[in-house]
Amino acid sequence: MLRYKIAIIIPYFGKFPEWIDLFLYSCSRNAKLSEGIEVDWLIFTDCVLPERIYPNTHFIQISFKDYCNRVSNELSIHFYPIRSYKLCDLKPFYGVIHQKELEGYTHWGFGDLDLCYGDLSIIINSTSLCKYDLITTHADRIAGHLTIVKKMSKYTELCFFISDWKEKLINERVLGLDELDYTILIRKNIVWWWRIYRYLYRPIKKGIYDFMKIPNCIHNWYSKAFIKEFYTSPLPKIGEQWVWDVKNNHILNPWGKEIPYLHFLFFKKTPFWDTPNYWKSGFYCLPQDISKIKDGMVIFDNKSISYKNKE
């Protein structure tokens, strides 16, 4: 019996990244998380479609201008940014913007393309979906790369309580409405915790993820929003490897701990981390049709994404 059906919404315009086939294959491995839980990805795009598309990866072809027209109509604003990266600020609004596509779904979510999923049932399962109306994977904020929301919950329309949300959306700058403003609404005391960390714990070099463990345990005990760090966005050091065991659909970090997915943010060249050790031309070394890989390991480090047969 199908109890939960989830749609993860991703608008993406321009050109798909080199690893799009890997991303889609990892989506396909999470079509059914367990009996009664199904996950689809709805990708709105003007990109050339990949050759391999799976039953749970749905592409809605639309131009960037037409998508902005739709956003403008649904939210009654003038939303026509120059850069598509501004769409990050729309993430808390996807549940409203895409009401039509969400018919038949119990949950909606937002995410990114720069990642590879492992076993998502680590975080999305009957226990968590029954107890919580929002599930996210960072300790100190809502994770823009994966957050799941119950459609018939207060969190779907909470976006309209963001202060000056219309002005912020028409502003060309990316303001972090997903990871900042939406977080503050969901967890009203988070600013207080941020300040305690900044002035008392950061000077003694204590990491914020460890600092937030006890506050998060307390929060998750009484709240309908589940917030926990799953260490999915690491800062890779030279020699460290993350391994996707393809057959068993498990991603292990360099210390052997399983994580639900690996976010590539700091493997790529990014303004958020100044390092010369990032992926360069030729880093993607996987077979053209990755869906034929049924065994072995996909290895991620700060030099490449590669494949190795199991010994």
Side-chain angles (χ1 to χ4, degrees):
M1 178 182 175
L2 183 61
R3 293 184 60 195
Y4 305 107
K5 191 171 184 181
I6 303 166
I8 298 176
I9 299 167
I10 304 178
Y12 193 92
F13 298 92
K15 182 182 179 181
F16 282 134
E18 290 183 67
W19 57 80
I20 186 62
D21 293 326
L22 171 66
F23 170 80
L24 295 174
Y25 182 44
S26 72
C27 292
S28 75
R29 300 295 302 276
N30 285 280
K32 278 194 174 184
L33 297 184
S34 67
E35 195 66 36
I37 304 175
E38 294 182 357
V39 186
D40 289 342
W41 277 260
L42 310 183
I43 303 171
F44 296 80
T45 187
D46 62 355
C47 300
V48 176
L49 298 187
E51 291 184 11
R52 190 76 164 86
I53 296 175
Y54 302 88
N56 70 324
T57 55
H58 306 281
F59 288 85
I60 299 90
Q61 293 185 282
I62 185 172
S63 70
F64 181 54
K65 181 179 179 181
D66 286 343
Y67 188 79
C68 292
N69 284 337
R70 176 167 182 183
V71 171
S72 299
N73 291 333
E74 295 289 348
L75 300 181
S76 299
I77 60 174
H78 187 79
F79 184 80
Y80 295 96
I82 296 173
R83 297 192 307 139
S84 60
Y85 190 57
K86 178 64 180 177
L87 296 177
C88 291
D89 281 342
L90 282 180
K91 288 179 178 179
F93 298 84
Y94 287 170
V96 176
I97 295 168
H98 296 291
Q99 292 181 66
K100 180 180 177 183
E101 287 85 2
L102 290 173
E103 291 181 8
Y105 289 96
T106 60
H107 293 70
W108 61 277
F110 49 80
D112 291 332
L113 287 184
D114 58 341
L115 48 80
C116 175
Y117 298 107
D119 182 5
L120 286 180
S121 70
I122 294 172
I123 52 175
I124 305 172
N125 50 64
S126 56
T127 300
S128 61
L129 293 173
C130 179
K131 185 175 181 180
Y132 298 104
D133 291 345
L134 183 145
I135 300 167
T136 196
T137 59
H138 266 324
D140 58 331
R141 63 194 182 280
I142 298 301
H145 38 84
L146 186 63
T147 294
I148 305 298
V149 180
K150 185 178 181 180
K151 188 170 69 171
M152 301 302 292
S153 75
K154 67 178 182 180
Y155 299 114
T156 293
E157 294 193 352
L158 192 63
C159 53
F160 294 124
F161 290 88
I162 293 175
S163 176
D164 302 319
W165 66 269
K166 288 188 176 183
E167 289 76 11
K168 289 176 178 178
L169 285 181
I170 63 176
N171 189 318
E172 281 289 338
R173 291 175 55 222
V174 178
L175 301 174
L177 269 63
D178 55 341
E179 297 196 343
L180 180 59
D181 299 68
Y182 198 45
T183 298
I184 292 171
L185 286 174
I186 291 168
R187 191 166 183 180
K188 298 184 185 300
N189 63 2
I190 193 64
V191 175
W192 185 63
W193 287 115
W194 287 340
R195 287 172 179 166
I196 291 176
Y197 171 74
R198 180 182 301 170
Y199 295 112
L200 297 181
Y201 284 83
R202 190 163 66 182
I204 61 173
K205 301 187 184 303
K206 185 176 178 68
I208 192 167
Y209 296 159
D210 289 334
F211 166 73
M212 290 299 297
K213 283 181 179 178
I214 294 177
N216 283 345
C217 285
I218 298 170
H219 170 86
N220 293 338
W221 177 69
Y222 70 82
S223 175
K224 295 294 285 183
F226 179 79
I227 298 175
K228 181 181 177 180
E229 184 57 47
F230 284 89
Y231 302 95
T232 57
S233 303
L235 296 169
K237 297 178 182 178
I238 294 175
E240 291 181 341
Q241 293 183 335
W242 283 255
V243 177
W244 181 26
D245 177 347
V246 178
K247 182 178 180 180
N248 297 303
N249 197 28
H250 296 158
I251 295 180
L252 303 178
N253 68 18
W255 304 276
K257 183 175 177 59
E258 185 175 5
I259 56 176
Y261 62 93
L262 179 62
H263 184 209
F264 303 152
L265 177 61
F266 298 110
F267 290 74
K268 310 175 296 179
K269 186 175 184 180
T270 172
F272 305 112
W273 190 34
D274 185 16
T275 175
N277 301 310
Y278 55 82
W279 287 340
K280 298 178 175 67
S281 179
F283 75 91
Y284 189 76
C285 306
L286 296 184
Q288 186 172 2
D289 186 359
I290 191 172
S291 65
K292 292 182 178 179
I293 295 178
K294 304 299 181 184
D295 205 344
M297 299 175 292
V298 174
I299 299 173
F300 307 87
D301 56 33
N302 57 12
K303 293 183 179 180
S304 65
I305 303 177
S306 59
Y307 173 72
K308 180 180 179 181
N309 284 316
K310 263 191 173 178
E311 297 176 353

